[in-house]
Amino acid sequence: MTKWDLIVIGGGSGGVRAARIAALHGAKVALVEEHRLGGTCVIRGCVPKKLMVYASRFAQELDEAAGFGWSVQGAAFDWPTLKANRDREVARLEDVYRNNLVTAGVTVLDSRATMQSQNSVRLVDGTVLEAENVLIATGSTPDAGPDIEGGELAIDSNGFFELTSLPPRVVVQGAGYIALELACVLRLLGAEVTVVVRGDQILRGFDDELRRHLAQELTQTGIHLRYGRQIASIAKNGTALQVALDNHERLPADCVLRATGRRPNTRGLGLQELGVNLDAAGAVSVDAYSQSSVQCIYAVGDVTNRVNLTPMAIREGHAFADTVFGKLVRTVDHTLVPSAVFTTPEAGTVGLTEEQALRQFPHLDVYRSTFRPMKATLSGHPTKVFLKLLVDRDTDRVLGFHAVGPDTGEMAQLVGITLQLGATKAAFDATLAVHPTAAEELVTMRAPAVQHNL
Ligand code: NDP
């Protein structure tokens, strides 16, 4: 029987990177994927979502065009065209993933795998594969959320990508990345959207000012944010749906989208039976080298519930392969994480939030700029850009960047590099502005809006 150096279970961002790099280091690698190569990010996450975001933003562009002299009457949107083009692009990327694996020498097995022993994996057809090491890279899946009457009538983010037409009235539950991104897509494409938020603000964990600013912007786009509410039940009402909130208010809807978080895909893998420790959320507990409590079983990406972002899964997969097969022992830094929420307007962030910074840095300066973007002066759009830098007064180090507005995701990437280099506010000030841009505000914020002295 073939003995593999590595069997990877899961062909998403983390698994594919780990398999390729391990194979390039000379390891004999098999990757088992039960669905489609590319995982959540490529098949039903980041990539198709961003294509939908682009599609939705044309609606706003068309609205704004009139102020610039354009006449765009008669513009029409066709969901099936978008869906077909999007699905074709996803299929193309899936092929790219497969080719990259094969070119690197990885054997791809289209099957579901479960652990049979610490060093063997069983496929659905009964084949047993022996391996020196196993990497669990099975990702995460939408959590069904609280059990409610009629819950089966709702869709999750996977169901969103299967919609064959734009639902005219949508109720979204949740206020995280997925809920808000998809709410914006639906709203801009023309749906009536109500977002049911259980807490008193969106995007828990983000900078409070960013959260407030983005909430105002979303309200301006016509999204109804219902705070402090839960969905109590969903019922059929003819061909439509009726959502009952926990205050007995009823909302008519054509689609209910629940996005209340994701759970690690460890169910039925047979991990605990082999002594692999899982945490309370069902995630594989790993050390800094992505090694589980069983020496030859590793895990990377969302299944470990560390930082659930594609670039982090890729980093973790790469570091694992370098460490175990490439004699390049290394870990991944999980502390400085640039990220973007692709709402419209989008939010970009990197570093500490004001709330986090204040717990460590008593002399914190907050630089803030809220302004009307140049384009809005002619288009008449009421949006405002929000940019914020947090600076430790004692060292002048920039600790955090938080922004809402066009291209702030792109800004977060670049500001992330400066934070990685330990940039000071003086370095920002010494940098010449690129004029006229929104980002130039980052190098022209002279006086702090707030000076904390704790
Ligand atoms: P999040 O954890 O970001 O958000 C979950 C939301 O659901 C929160 O608003 C939460 O409210 C709410 N919620 C949780 N439980 C309940 C409940 N029982 N009843 C009502 N509401 C509830 O998860 P997502 O699914 O949006 O995203 C999962 C992960 O995917 C993210 O953490 C992110 O890492 C990744 N992702 C990243 C994207 C990007 O980089 N642009 C895009 C999409 C996903 P509360 O705040 O009160 O807890």
PDB file of all heavy atoms in Angstrom, residues 11-28:
ATOM      1  N   GLY A  11      -9.815  20.910   0.310  1.00  0.00           N
ATOM      2  CA  GLY A  11      -9.125  21.608  -0.777  1.00  0.00           C
ATOM      3  C   GLY A  11      -9.484  23.072  -0.867  1.00  0.00           C
ATOM      4  O   GLY A  11      -9.739  23.600  -1.950  1.00  0.00           O
ATOM      5  N   GLY A  12      -9.497  23.747   0.264  1.00  0.00           N
ATOM      6  CA  GLY A  12      -9.712  25.200   0.275  1.00  0.00           C
ATOM      7  C   GLY A  12      -8.378  25.925   0.301  1.00  0.00           C
ATOM      8  O   GLY A  12      -7.319  25.336   0.010  1.00  0.00           O
ATOM      9  N   SER A  13      -8.433  27.203   0.664  1.00  0.00           N
ATOM     10  CA  SER A  13      -7.232  28.044   0.605  1.00  0.00           C
ATOM     11  C   SER A  13      -6.062  27.444   1.389  1.00  0.00           C
ATOM     12  O   SER A  13      -4.937  27.368   0.873  1.00  0.00           O
ATOM     13  CB  SER A  13      -7.544  29.428   1.174  1.00  0.00           C
ATOM     14  OG  SER A  13      -8.661  29.980   0.520  1.00  0.00           O
ATOM     15  N   GLY A  14      -6.309  27.030   2.615  1.00  0.00           N
ATOM     16  CA  GLY A  14      -5.228  26.537   3.477  1.00  0.00           C
ATOM     17  C   GLY A  14      -4.714  25.183   3.011  1.00  0.00           C
ATOM     18  O   GLY A  14      -3.500  24.958   2.923  1.00  0.00           O
ATOM     19  N   GLY A  15      -5.637  24.267   2.698  1.00  0.00           N
ATOM     20  CA  GLY A  15      -5.262  22.908   2.310  1.00  0.00           C
ATOM     21  C   GLY A  15      -4.490  22.885   1.006  1.00  0.00           C
ATOM     22  O   GLY A  15      -3.482  22.177   0.872  1.00  0.00           O
ATOM     23  N   VAL A  16      -4.964  23.660   0.041  1.00  0.00           N
ATOM     24  CA  VAL A  16      -4.311  23.674  -1.275  1.00  0.00           C
ATOM     25  C   VAL A  16      -2.897  24.233  -1.150  1.00  0.00           C
ATOM     26  O   VAL A  16      -1.943  23.675  -1.693  1.00  0.00           O
ATOM     27  CB  VAL A  16      -5.153  24.476  -2.291  1.00  0.00           C
ATOM     28  CG1 VAL A  16      -4.356  24.765  -3.553  1.00  0.00           C
ATOM     29  CG2 VAL A  16      -6.425  23.708  -2.636  1.00  0.00           C
ATOM     30  N   ARG A  17      -2.746  25.332  -0.409  1.00  0.00           N
ATOM     31  CA  ARG A  17      -1.402  25.902  -0.264  1.00  0.00           C
ATOM     32  C   ARG A  17      -0.475  24.905   0.431  1.00  0.00           C
ATOM     33  O   ARG A  17       0.652  24.678  -0.019  1.00  0.00           O
ATOM     34  CB  ARG A  17      -1.463  27.228   0.513  1.00  0.00           C
ATOM     35  CG  ARG A  17      -0.117  27.840   0.819  1.00  0.00           C
ATOM     36  CD  ARG A  17       0.707  28.163  -0.437  1.00  0.00           C
ATOM     37  NE  ARG A  17       0.164  29.269  -1.183  1.00  0.00           N
ATOM     38  CZ  ARG A  17       0.540  30.542  -1.075  1.00  0.00           C
ATOM     39  NH1 ARG A  17       1.530  30.864  -0.266  1.00  0.00           N
ATOM     40  NH2 ARG A  17      -0.040  31.483  -1.781  1.00  0.00           N
ATOM     41  N   ALA A  18      -0.959  24.294   1.509  1.00  0.00           N
ATOM     42  CA  ALA A  18      -0.105  23.354   2.249  1.00  0.00           C
ATOM     43  C   ALA A  18       0.291  22.183   1.362  1.00  0.00           C
ATOM     44  O   ALA A  18       1.464  21.770   1.346  1.00  0.00           O
ATOM     45  CB  ALA A  18      -0.852  22.854   3.487  1.00  0.00           C
ATOM     46  N   ALA A  19      -0.666  21.647   0.602  1.00  0.00           N
ATOM     47  CA  ALA A  19      -0.383  20.486  -0.246  1.00  0.00           C
ATOM     48  C   ALA A  19       0.667  20.839  -1.301  1.00  0.00           C
ATOM     49  O   ALA A  19       1.627  20.097  -1.520  1.00  0.00           O
ATOM     50  CB  ALA A  19      -1.673  20.013  -0.918  1.00  0.00           C
ATOM     51  N   ARG A  20       0.495  21.976  -1.953  1.00  0.00           N
ATOM     52  CA  ARG A  20       1.418  22.389  -3.014  1.00  0.00           C
ATOM     53  C   ARG A  20       2.825  22.599  -2.478  1.00  0.00           C
ATOM     54  O   ARG A  20       3.803  22.110  -3.046  1.00  0.00           O
ATOM     55  CB  ARG A  20       0.947  23.703  -3.653  1.00  0.00           C
ATOM     56  CG  ARG A  20      -0.103  23.498  -4.733  1.00  0.00           C
ATOM     57  CD  ARG A  20      -0.470  24.836  -5.367  1.00  0.00           C
ATOM     58  NE  ARG A  20       0.706  25.595  -5.727  1.00  0.00           N
ATOM     59  CZ  ARG A  20       0.898  26.895  -5.493  1.00  0.00           C
ATOM     60  NH1 ARG A  20      -0.025  27.591  -4.867  1.00  0.00           N
ATOM     61  NH2 ARG A  20       1.990  27.501  -5.861  1.00  0.00           N
ATOM     62  N   ILE A  21       2.907  23.333  -1.368  1.00  0.00           N
ATOM     63  CA  ILE A  21       4.247  23.639  -0.839  1.00  0.00           C
ATOM     64  C   ILE A  21       4.922  22.367  -0.326  1.00  0.00           C
ATOM     65  O   ILE A  21       6.112  22.144  -0.563  1.00  0.00           O
ATOM     66  CB  ILE A  21       4.179  24.715   0.267  1.00  0.00           C
ATOM     67  CG1 ILE A  21       3.545  25.997  -0.290  1.00  0.00           C
ATOM     68  CG2 ILE A  21       5.557  25.004   0.860  1.00  0.00           C
ATOM     69  CD1 ILE A  21       4.265  26.613  -1.490  1.00  0.00           C
ATOM     70  N   ALA A  22       4.153  21.495   0.322  1.00  0.00           N
ATOM     71  CA  ALA A  22       4.742  20.234   0.805  1.00  0.00           C
ATOM     72  C   ALA A  22       5.259  19.423  -0.377  1.00  0.00           C
ATOM     73  O   ALA A  22       6.374  18.877  -0.333  1.00  0.00           O
ATOM     74  CB  ALA A  22       3.698  19.445   1.604  1.00  0.00           C
ATOM     75  N   ALA A  23       4.466  19.365  -1.449  1.00  0.00           N
ATOM     76  CA  ALA A  23       4.891  18.601  -2.636  1.00  0.00           C
ATOM     77  C   ALA A  23       6.139  19.235  -3.246  1.00  0.00           C
ATOM     78  O   ALA A  23       7.073  18.527  -3.659  1.00  0.00           O
ATOM     79  CB  ALA A  23       3.753  18.544  -3.651  1.00  0.00           C
ATOM     80  N   LEU A  24       6.178  20.557  -3.278  1.00  0.00           N
ATOM     81  CA  LEU A  24       7.355  21.228  -3.847  1.00  0.00           C
ATOM     82  C   LEU A  24       8.596  21.003  -2.986  1.00  0.00           C
ATOM     83  O   LEU A  24       9.718  21.069  -3.471  1.00  0.00           O
ATOM     84  CB  LEU A  24       7.073  22.730  -4.039  1.00  0.00           C
ATOM     85  CG  LEU A  24       5.997  23.048  -5.107  1.00  0.00           C
ATOM     86  CD1 LEU A  24       5.647  24.538  -5.111  1.00  0.00           C
ATOM     87  CD2 LEU A  24       6.438  22.601  -6.496  1.00  0.00           C
ATOM     88  N   HIS A  25       8.378  20.716  -1.696  1.00  0.00           N
ATOM     89  CA  HIS A  25       9.511  20.362  -0.819  1.00  0.00           C
ATOM     90  C   HIS A  25       9.887  18.890  -0.993  1.00  0.00           C
ATOM     91  O   HIS A  25      10.757  18.377  -0.282  1.00  0.00           O
ATOM     92  CB  HIS A  25       9.161  20.611   0.651  1.00  0.00           C
ATOM     93  CG  HIS A  25       9.208  22.063   1.059  1.00  0.00           C
ATOM     94  ND1 HIS A  25      10.269  22.888   0.787  1.00  0.00           N
ATOM     95  CD2 HIS A  25       8.309  22.838   1.726  1.00  0.00           C
ATOM     96  CE1 HIS A  25      10.035  24.107   1.267  1.00  0.00           C
ATOM     97  NE2 HIS A  25       8.838  24.107   1.836  1.00  0.00           N
ATOM     98  N   GLY A  26       9.193  18.187  -1.868  1.00  0.00           N
ATOM     99  CA  GLY A  26       9.563  16.797  -2.149  1.00  0.00           C
ATOM    100  C   GLY A  26       8.687  15.750  -1.489  1.00  0.00           C
ATOM    101  O   GLY A  26       8.933  14.540  -1.631  1.00  0.00           O
ATOM    102  N   ALA A  27       7.639  16.195  -0.756  1.00  0.00           N
ATOM    103  CA  ALA A  27       6.785  15.227  -0.060  1.00  0.00           C
ATOM    104  C   ALA A  27       5.815  14.555  -1.042  1.00  0.00           C
ATOM    105  O   ALA A  27       5.450  15.141  -2.062  1.00  0.00           O
ATOM    106  CB  ALA A  27       6.000  15.927   1.050  1.00  0.00           C
ATOM    107  N   LYS A  28       5.413  13.335  -0.703  1.00  0.00           N
ATOM    108  CA  LYS A  28       4.407  12.619  -1.501  1.00  0.00           C
ATOM    109  C   LYS A  28       3.055  12.958  -0.879  1.00  0.00           C
ATOM    110  O   LYS A  28       2.779  12.595   0.266  1.00  0.00           O
ATOM    111  CB  LYS A  28       4.713  11.114  -1.392  1.00  0.00           C
ATOM    112  CG  LYS A  28       3.970  10.257  -2.366  1.00  0.00           C
ATOM    113  CD  LYS A  28       4.537   8.834  -2.321  1.00  0.00           C
ATOM    114  CE  LYS A  28       3.636   7.873  -3.078  1.00  0.00           C
ATOM    115  NZ  LYS A  28       3.205   8.333  -4.394  1.00  0.00           N
TER     116      LYS A  28
END
